């Protein structure tokens, strides 16, 4: 969203500087980008308001997408149901009861086409929270684009495609760690070479934090994962700068306003130095940490859920003061279930109010130069550096996950936080302090219509039964062969998707070669 | 490790609790906290891990001869999964008086009474303290 270039003034007519001076001399848009990746930040372009949504069926979710775009949302973010995320078709026995529950079910190219019906893929960027099956969803999208006459090179958007944090915290992994890393790198390689506007990965601290880590651990674990991916890409002979410039990141915004703002600043500085000093990339543009932020689901209370509007507002403010590129604000009722349309609207309005009524978008890094925020930024940088050293000594992020070092950090911090809440050392209003009417109002929880799953499964079964299986079988045989070797798997997946293979068939074929994750991490 | 009234006074055997996560969601922060709290309270905890079917949970409950079974789900699939578990337990010869059943996760308020009525003696939505879950089990297993 382009904004007016005239210098803003306060409501009293006081001219506002583009950014406050900092005693350290750091400036927005200049390496190491502590103060933001753009010189003008939100004066030039507001953050993208990107609400994560999906439920029921592709058609149902398409309606919610169009509604959100009509309400002024500027990017899409697809929530897939768990069977899709793990790689099961809606018709699979493993999917029963989960179809359409936490996101939209996508088993075929036709499903994705229906989901994106009427959405201009060249102008609206589409973000997909998909990891184990990210390569398959990318293949579906490429086929949808081609069928619409769009060059895949014009596709804009992001795949989450961050399998390491699945092992560490989020747990939708399907394959063992090593072949999982191969798929991530296949997508990065294909995208770097063929999809210039596509972000092939969103390295996510969000879920690490949700699982209970501290802010410092969130940054350290995220950077350790990013280093592992970039090392993997370099080992394939890819140019580290070209790959790093396609990386995007995803962070959490929790309740402690100043620590959160400092966290975002420290993360940018650390990543910029990592790209330059560890990977020898001289181009500062490749060292810019672009990131999405979501407010903390784990901070939402089940008790007195209306209070959560205030929590979300403060967290969103932290993300904006921290210079995020895009933002998802949670619905106040999300400790109870998926948000109702009304609470999803309030969540979006929260961003719009912050953007257009408060003046926070007028000045880049408005807290930069504050002794408190600068010293917190330095302290986080130092502590993250120490944790990264531990991960390096363990042999890198992959080894640290295999040895459960990262998981133990998260579990220890989660337990400590819980003890603080129970002792009262950490206050949660309405829960352990000023607790009043403790049960939320009934009858106001969003429910996915239970008949949707049944209809969806019947419809998909009929559609799959009507396929000509010869090209599907041939394409899956090619995929199996490619998976047994070392070729990049994106093209064979695109071919299989084009031939009519389902997500479950492709993931099942890969599982025959790779094996299934055994639940041992 | 303190044993606080959860061991059998005659045999000295600690209470055995099976913790399981049916459904496909990966939200295991809650179960991990509970496992640690029960362990610190002197109970023996067996954890099935994630993505287990109600059938597998019932089988584990029978094989491990547990005193209580706790299940957690955050994907909105708790209704059918938790109901099926009761049927599967009965198929293993485990009735509602044989084990203490309890559950937690993202459970909307209107589902709480229904889960209680079908046999879940403890229903613990988000925000429940570990202390109250431990007390519930100590009371229920006395």
């Amino acid at each position: 969203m382009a904004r007016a270039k005239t210098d803003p003034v306060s409501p009293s007519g006081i001219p506002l500087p583009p950014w406050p001076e900092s005693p350290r001399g750091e400036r927005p848009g200049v390496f190491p980008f502590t103060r933001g990746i753009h010189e003008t930040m939100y004066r030039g372009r507001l953050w993208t308001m990107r609400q994560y949504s999906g439920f029921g069926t592709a058609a149902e979710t398409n309606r919610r997408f169009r509604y959100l775009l009509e309400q002024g949302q500027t990017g899409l973010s697809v929530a897939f149901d768990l069977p899709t995320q793990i790689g099961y078709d809606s018709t699979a026995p493993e999917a029963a009861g989960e179809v359409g529950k936490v996101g939209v079910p996508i088993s075929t190219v036709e499903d994705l086409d229906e989901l994106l019906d009427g959405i201009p893929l060249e102008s609206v960027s589409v973000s997909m929270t998909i990891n184990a099956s990210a390569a398959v969803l990318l293949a579906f999208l490429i086929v949808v684009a081609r069928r619409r006459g769009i060059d895949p090179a014009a596709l804009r958007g992001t795949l989450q495609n961050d399998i390491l944090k699945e092992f560490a915290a989020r747990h939708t992994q399907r394959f063992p760690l090593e072949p999982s890393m191969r798929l991530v790198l296949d997508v990065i390689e294909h995208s770097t070479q063929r999809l210039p506007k596509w972000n092939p990965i969103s390295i996510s601290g969000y879920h690490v934090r949700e699982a209970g880590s501290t802010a410092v651990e969130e940054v350290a674990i995220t950077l350790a994962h990013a280093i592992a991916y970039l090392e993997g890409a370099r080992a394939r002979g890819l140019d580290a700068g070209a790959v790093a410039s396609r990386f995007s990141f995803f962070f959490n915004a929790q309740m402690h306003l100043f620590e959160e703002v400092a966290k975002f600043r420290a993360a940018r500085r650390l990543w910029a130095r990592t790209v330059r000093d560890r990977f020898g990339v001289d181009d500062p543009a490749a060292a810019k940490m672009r990131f999405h932020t979501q407010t903390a689901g784990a901070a939402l209370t089940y008790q007195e859920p209306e209070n959560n509007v205030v929590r979300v507002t403060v967290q969103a403010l932290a993300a904006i003061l921290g210079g995020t590129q895009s933002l998802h604000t949670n619905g106040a009722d999300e400790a109870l279930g998926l948000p109702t349309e009304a609470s999803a609207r309030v969540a979006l309005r929260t961003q719009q109010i912050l953007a257009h009524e408060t003046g926070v978008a007028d000045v880049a890094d408005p807290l930069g130069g504050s002794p408190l925020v600068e010293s917190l930024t330095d302290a986080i940088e130092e502590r993250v550096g120490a944790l990264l050293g531990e991960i390096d000594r363990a042999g890198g992020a992959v080894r640290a996950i295999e040895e459960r070092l990262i998981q133990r950090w998260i579990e220890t911090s989660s337990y400590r936080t819980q003890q603080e809440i129970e002792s009262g050392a950490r206050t949660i209003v309405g829960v352990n302090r000023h607790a009043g009417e403790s049960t939320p109002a009934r009858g106001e929880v969003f429910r996915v219509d239970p008949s949707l799953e049944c209809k969806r499964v019947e419809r998909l079964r009929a559609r799959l039964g009507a396929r000509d299986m010869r090209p599907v079988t041939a394409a899956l045989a090619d995929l199996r062969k490619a998976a047994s070797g070392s070729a990049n798997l994106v093209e064979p997946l695109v071919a299989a998707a084009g031939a009519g293979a389902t997500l479950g068939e492709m993931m099942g074929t890969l599982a025959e070669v790779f094996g299934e994750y055994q639940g041992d991490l | 490790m303190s044993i606080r009234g959860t061991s059998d006074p005659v045999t000295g055997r600690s209470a055995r609790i099976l913790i399981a996560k049916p459904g496909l969601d990966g939200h295991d922060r809650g179960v991990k906290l509970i496992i640690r709290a029960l362990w610190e309270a002197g109970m023996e905890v067996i954890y099935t891990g994630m993505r287990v079917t109600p059938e597998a949970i019932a089988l584990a409950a029978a094989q491990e001869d547990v005193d209580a079974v706790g299940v957690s789900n955050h994907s909105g699939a708790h209704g059918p999964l938790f109901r099926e578990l009761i049927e599967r337990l009965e198929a293993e010869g485990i009735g509602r008086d044989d084990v203490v059943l309890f559950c937690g996760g993202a459970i909307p308020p209107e589902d709480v009474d229904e889960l209680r009525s079908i046999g879940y003696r403890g229903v613990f939505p988000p925000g429940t303290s570990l202390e109250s879950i431990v007390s519930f089990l100590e009371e229920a297993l006395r």
Side-chain angles (χ1 to χ4, degrees):
Chain A
M1 188 181 304
R3 305 184 76 227
K5 293 283 188 270
T6 52
D7 281 349
V9 294
S10 78
S12 308
I14 302 166
L16 296 166
W19 61 81
E21 289 303 325
S22 153
R24 297 177 67 113
E26 289 183 319
R27 290 174 58 162
V30 178
F31 190 94
F33 309 107
T34 311
R35 308 197 62 188
I37 61 168
H38 303 299
E39 186 186 0
T40 54
M41 284 306 291
Y42 305 133
R43 274 192 194 189
R45 190 175 189 272
L46 273 179
W47 64 90
T48 301
M49 299 179 190
R50 190 188 296 282
Q51 300 293 90
Y52 178 55
S53 78
F55 56 93
T57 62
E60 193 93 353
T61 304
N62 179 264
R63 274 193 287 282
R64 178 74 74 102
F65 282 173
R66 288 170 182 237
Y67 170 81
L68 287 167
L69 291 172
E70 278 163 25
Q71 295 299 311
Q73 178 166 305
T74 49
L76 292 178
S77 175
V78 186
F80 296 97
D81 72 359
L82 287 161
T84 305
Q85 293 189 46
I86 299 169
Y88 300 118
D89 292 334
S90 301
T91 48
E94 291 89 347
E98 303 271 10
V99 175
K101 282 290 191 306
V102 302
V104 59
I106 300 292
S107 308
T108 64
V109 169
E110 289 72 28
D111 289 337
L112 189 66
D113 193 35
E114 192 174 7
L115 176 74
L116 300 174
D117 184 37
I119 312 287
L121 297 177
E122 313 91 313
S123 56
V124 173
S125 64
V126 180
S127 170
M128 297 186 178
T129 299
I130 196 85
N131 295 278
S133 51
V136 175
L137 266 294
L138 177 62
F140 282 167
L141 185 65
I142 289 171
V143 175
V144 167
R146 285 185 185 152
R147 287 186 186 170
R148 291 186 189 182
I150 298 165
D151 180 354
L155 288 171
R156 302 174 62 234
T158 306
L159 282 182
Q160 195 162 81
N161 193 33
D162 171 13
I163 208 69
L164 291 176
K165 66 89 176 55
E166 297 295 324
F167 283 87
R170 187 171 174 273
H171 308 310
T172 65
Q173 64 270 45
R174 173 71 182 271
F175 309 121
L177 196 41
E178 198 180 315
S180 296
M181 276 297 276
R182 171 187 173 181
L183 277 173
V184 169
L185 293 169
D186 282 354
V187 167
I188 290 173
E189 184 175 50
H190 181 92
S191 305
T192 307
Q193 293 167 348
R194 311 277 285 279
L195 309 173
K197 297 180 182 173
W198 188 256
N199 300 312
I201 192 165
S202 173
I203 304 143
S204 307
Y206 183 81
H207 317 89
V208 166
R209 191 76 183 279
E210 286 291 291
S213 84
T214 64
V216 167
E217 288 161 346
E218 177 190 0
V219 175
I221 294 167
T222 307
L223 291 180
H225 292 172
I227 289 166
Y229 295 128
L230 198 48
E231 282 175 350
R234 194 167 60 174
R236 285 189 175 203
L238 298 174
D239 176 64
V243 173
S245 67
R246 298 319 309 159
F247 276 12
S248 62
F249 292 81
F250 175 21
F251 290 112
N252 203 307
Q254 258 281 4
M255 287 306 293
H256 196 284
L257 182 67
F258 298 113
E259 183 174 84
E260 292 301 293
V261 173
K263 173 188 82 177
F264 297 121
R265 304 174 87 250
R268 271 191 301 265
R269 185 191 287 161
L270 279 154
W271 179 241
R273 294 200 173 136
T274 299
V275 170
R276 185 190 65 187
D277 301 338
R278 186 169 182 139
F279 290 93
V281 173
D282 291 329
D283 177 14
K288 290 180 179 179
M289 175 186 259
R290 298 173 294 134
F291 64 88
H292 174 69
T293 306
Q294 180 169 340
T295 59
L300 300 175
T301 63
Y302 186 85
Q303 296 77 8
E304 302 184 18
E306 59 281 4
N307 297 343
N308 291 327
V309 173
V310 182
R311 295 190 173 98
V312 169
T313 305
V314 173
Q315 294 162 358
L317 182 62
I320 296 160
L321 296 174
T324 195
Q325 275 58 64
S326 62
L327 180 61
H328 168 105
T329 33
N330 289 330
D333 52 357
E334 290 190 53
L336 285 66
L338 294 188
T340 60
E341 191 157 293
S343 65
R345 186 174 57 243
V346 171
L348 176 60
R349 293 287 184 258
T350 302
Q351 293 198 41
Q352 292 165 334
I353 290 166
L354 287 168
H356 304 298
E357 297 186 22
T358 69
V360 286
D362 292 339
V363 178
D365 189 31
L367 300 185
S370 141
L372 173 66
V373 170
E374 294 292 353
S375 66
L376 280 171
T377 304
D378 293 345
I380 290 171
E381 181 188 4
E382 191 188 323
R383 286 167 192 229
V384 168
L387 292 182
L388 283 171
E390 273 190 56
I391 292 175
D392 278 338
R393 282 191 295 279
V398 173
R399 291 284 299 151
I401 288 170
E402 283 171 346
E403 287 174 10
R404 299 200 83 261
L405 171 71
I406 286 174
Q407 295 92 314
R408 277 203 308 277
W409 286 354
I410 298 170
E411 287 161 15
T412 302
S413 294
S414 162
Y415 194 68
R416 189 185 309 116
T417 302
Q418 185 65 24
Q419 285 179 311
E420 287 170 5
I421 292 168
E422 298 202 9
S423 72
R426 184 187 292 240
T427 296
I428 302 177
V429 171
V431 176
N432 68 359
R433 195 162 179 181
H434 310 302
E437 184 60 48
S438 66
T439 42
R442 289 169 178 247
E444 288 174 11
V445 176
F446 179 83
R447 294 255 178 201
V448 176
D449 177 355
S451 71
L452 284 176
E453 173 163 348
C454 202
K455 284 186 215 154
R456 151 81 184 154
V457 170
E458 277 171 28
R459 203 174 142 223
L460 180 63
R461 195 163 277 143
R463 193 196 281 160
L464 297 182
R467 285 180 303 170
D468 174 3
M469 285 306 287
R470 279 167 304 178
V472 174
T473 311
L476 291 175
D478 290 345
L479 176 62
R480 186 178 296 111
K481 199 171 158 213
S484 308
S486 60
N488 190 303
L489 294 176
V490 175
E491 278 302 340
L493 287 167
V494 171
T502 66
L503 164 100
E505 289 164 347
M506 290 188 260
M507 291 292 282
T509 299
L510 294 178
E512 286 169 23
V513 180
F514 296 159
E516 300 268 356
Y517 167 66
Q518 294 300 321
D520 47 343
L521 297 174
Chain B
M1 192 200 308
S2 68
I3 308 286
R4 302 203 312 249
T6 50
S7 57
D8 187 296
V10 181
T11 64
R13 174 186 180 273
S14 297
R16 284 164 70 82
I17 319 292
L18 181 71
I19 298 289
K21 260 195 69 54
L24 299 180
D25 74 291
H27 301 94
D28 63 350
R29 180 174 180 170
V31 292
K32 282 184 172 164
L33 289 171
I34 287 164
I35 289 165
R36 182 154 172 187
L38 298 183
W39 182 80
E40 291 198 348
M43 301 183 204
E44 194 178 329
V45 185
I46 300 138
Y47 177 44
T48 63
M50 288 174 279
R51 296 189 210 163
V52 283
T53 61
E55 193 179 1
I57 298 168
L59 195 64
Q63 283 172 349
E64 299 284 350
D65 186 26
V66 295
D67 304 299
V69 178
V71 286
S72 165
N73 176 272
H74 287 78
S75 71
H78 55 275
L81 287 169
F82 291 1
R83 263 194 298 277
E84 188 190 336
L85 175 61
I86 291 188
E87 291 161 20
R88 298 286 184 179
L89 285 169
E90 279 167 3
E92 293 291 336
I94 301 170
R96 62 162 70 188
D97 296 326
D98 300 325
V99 290
V100 175
L101 271 176
F102 62 108
C103 65
I107 296 167
E110 53 262 59
D111 292 359
V112 171
D113 291 343
E114 201 216 322
L115 289 168
R116 286 219 172 89
S117 74
I118 63 171
Y120 287 88
R121 282 165 70 182
V123 181
F124 303 113
T128 307
S129 70
L130 295 175
E131 196 183 350
S132 65
I133 295 172
V134 170
S135 308
F136 158 81
L137 277 173
E138 285 174 341
E139 189 71 26
L141 295 172
R142 187 158 290 163

